[in-house]
Amino acid sequence: MKLKNSLFALLAGSLFFVSCSSDDDNVSVASGAYENGTFVLNEGNSNPSTGTVSFIGNDGTVEQDIFTAVNPDAPAIGTYLQSMFFSDDYAFIISGQANKVTVVNRNTFEFVASIETGFSNPRYGAVINGKAYITNTSDYTDPDDFLTVIDLTSFTTSTVELNNYAERVLTENGKLYIANGYYGSGTSVTVFNPANNTVEAVIELGDSPNSFDEEDGALYVMGDTQISRINLANNTVSGTIELTAEMSGAKNLTISDNSIYYTVGTSVYSLPLNSNTLPTEALFSYESDSQYGAMYGFNVSEGKVYIADGGDFASDSEIYIYSTDGTLVNTHVVGVGPNSFYFNN
């Protein structure tokens, strides 16, 4: 697959923009080969070639390492891939080890830009008002994390100090909500106003957040000991559900079809969105032989539960798709260390 690339530097050093036009034999890419389906981010390992993106079409077909297939001459996306996020036209791929973000067209996966300035262990990102905001952990031992802000008209970067831990991020009501916690450190959620690049509020939880999701004006946060519900109208905690001893290690909170889903070990649990009672039984469980990669990636969409198993982190691994009643729908081989799912529909 050959691309005719016009490459020029936007900034001296490490930021480039590529304008791509396709050969006649590349019509499928130009017309949006990846418009309908699921991207699987494969974290990889220290081998530079192992960080990849797989694609599962809605018809069940699987394509491996689509970035390299579409862009054989583009700069590598790096390894230890952390996460992806979308804007209207773009998909952003974060490589924590390489301290870079690769921008592609989300429907064709054609290379757009490689951004390598202003990062220190980048983690998660979100787009609002024409800018991308990416959390950086900087140093895991200190709460000195910051945001990298990317102007999407020029792909230039700036940074904003948060003076707190910064991990997952989402947007709602014109604000950024940032989970201030990882690996048991940090106990709050930051409300960041992108209009003036200031912290508007810090919502204390008394618990370290590991995942969260928003629905109907409320932010649901999974912590080490409880699920917290934050009212986004006034940035206060409006309720909590204490986790039982059996729920120790709960993570991967996500919301789909008015239900909260989360995982404990290799089991999946669910409860109605406004319930105050934890489930007593799992929806289902799966078996894993992976020492460190059991339930390494998780998401729920349109009545299907997506599970990624990290395997041995040296060879291609598997993802599993279940119905919400626990019926196994499909198993697919993807890349090394699959860690997350992103739906492009």
Side-chain angles (χ1 to χ4, degrees):
M1 186 177 298
K2 297 180 180 178
L3 298 179
K4 299 175 181 175
N5 296 331
S6 174
L7 178 63
F8 57 93
L10 284 177
L11 289 178
S14 57
L15 174 59
F16 300 96
F17 182 85
V18 172
S19 174
C20 301
S21 62
S22 301
D23 286 341
D24 292 339
D25 61 358
N26 197 25
V27 173
S28 62
V29 171
S31 61
Y34 306 113
E35 282 184 292
N36 296 295
T38 303
F39 297 113
V40 182
L41 195 66
N42 303 303
E43 181 175 297
N45 53 39
S46 58
N47 185 331
S49 65
T50 54
T52 65
V53 181
S54 301
F55 180 76
I56 304 171
N58 287 346
D59 59 358
T61 58
V62 180
E63 296 182 51
Q64 307 292 4
D65 195 2
I66 60 174
F67 178 81
T68 302
V70 175
N71 309 287
D73 300 320
I77 57 176
T79 191
Y80 290 117
L81 303 183
Q82 174 60 37
S83 62
M84 285 178 62
F85 61 101
F86 297 133
S87 70
D88 291 339
D89 299 315
Y90 299 136
F92 302 81
I93 307 166
I94 297 176
S95 171
Q97 184 187 53
N99 283 318
K100 70 185 293 185
V101 172
T102 301
V103 188
V104 297
N105 181 290
R106 65 184 291 176
N107 294 322
T108 67
F109 237 68
E110 290 177 297
F111 176 78
V112 175
S114 182
I115 306 169
E116 301 181 42
T117 57
F119 300 113
S120 179
N121 197 9
R123 300 289 290 172
Y124 296 91
V127 171
I128 188 169
N129 297 334
K131 294 180 179 180
Y133 293 80
I134 297 172
T135 59
N136 294 260
T137 59
S138 189
D139 183 348
Y140 281 108
T141 62
D142 295 313
D144 58 353
D145 301 352
F146 63 93
L147 290 173
T148 302
V149 185
I150 304 173
D151 187 322
L152 299 186
T153 61
S154 63
F155 295 110
T156 54
T157 64
S158 58
T159 60
V160 180
E161 297 296 329
L162 291 175
N163 298 313
N164 206 332
Y165 299 101
E167 182 74 341
R168 296 180 185 271
V169 57
L170 57 78
T171 61
E172 186 66 23
N173 300 328
K175 307 291 174 62
L176 293 172
Y177 295 86
I178 303 165
N180 307 134
Y182 41 73
Y183 307 127
S185 299
T187 59
S188 59
V189 171
T190 287
V191 184
F192 183 85
N193 189 338
N196 52 21
N197 279 347
T198 60
V199 173
E200 191 168 281
V202 176
I203 306 167
E204 290 294 338
L205 303 174
D207 197 29
S208 184
N210 63 55
S211 51
F212 62 5
D213 206 352
E214 184 277 336
E215 187 73 17
D216 296 334
L219 189 66
Y220 296 81
V221 186
M222 176 64 75
D224 291 338
T225 65
Q226 65 192 24
I227 300 173
S228 301
R229 183 183 187 276
I230 297 173
N231 184 339
L232 299 185
N234 54 23
N235 293 330
T236 61
V237 177
S238 59
T240 58
I241 306 175
E242 297 297 320
L243 299 177
T244 62
E246 292 76 18
M247 296 292 177
S248 177
K251 60 182 182 179
N252 292 321
L253 184 148
T254 188
I255 297 172
S256 182
D257 294 330
N258 292 313
S259 291
I260 296 172
Y261 292 86
Y262 64 94
T263 68
V264 180
T266 56
S267 297
V268 178
Y269 291 83
S270 176
L271 68 155
L273 192 61
N274 294 314
S275 175
N276 292 314
T277 304
L278 292 174
T280 57
E281 295 183 0
L283 287 176
F284 64 91
S285 301
Y286 88 104
E287 294 184 2
S288 173
D289 296 325
S290 179
Q291 184 176 4
Y292 302 109
M295 201 70 78
Y296 204 59
F298 178 81
N299 213 334
V300 183
S301 178
E302 297 183 350
K304 293 181 180 179
V305 179
Y306 295 74
I307 294 172
D309 192 273
D312 61 6
F313 294 96
S315 55
D316 289 348
S317 192
E318 293 182 324
I319 64 102
Y320 309 98
I321 304 175
Y322 288 84
S323 64
T324 52
D325 66 4
T327 301
L328 181 62
V329 177
N330 268 311
T331 300
H332 297 294
V333 175
V334 289
V336 176
N339 66 14
S340 47
F341 302 92
Y342 305 90
F343 308 111
N344 196 31
N345 294 305

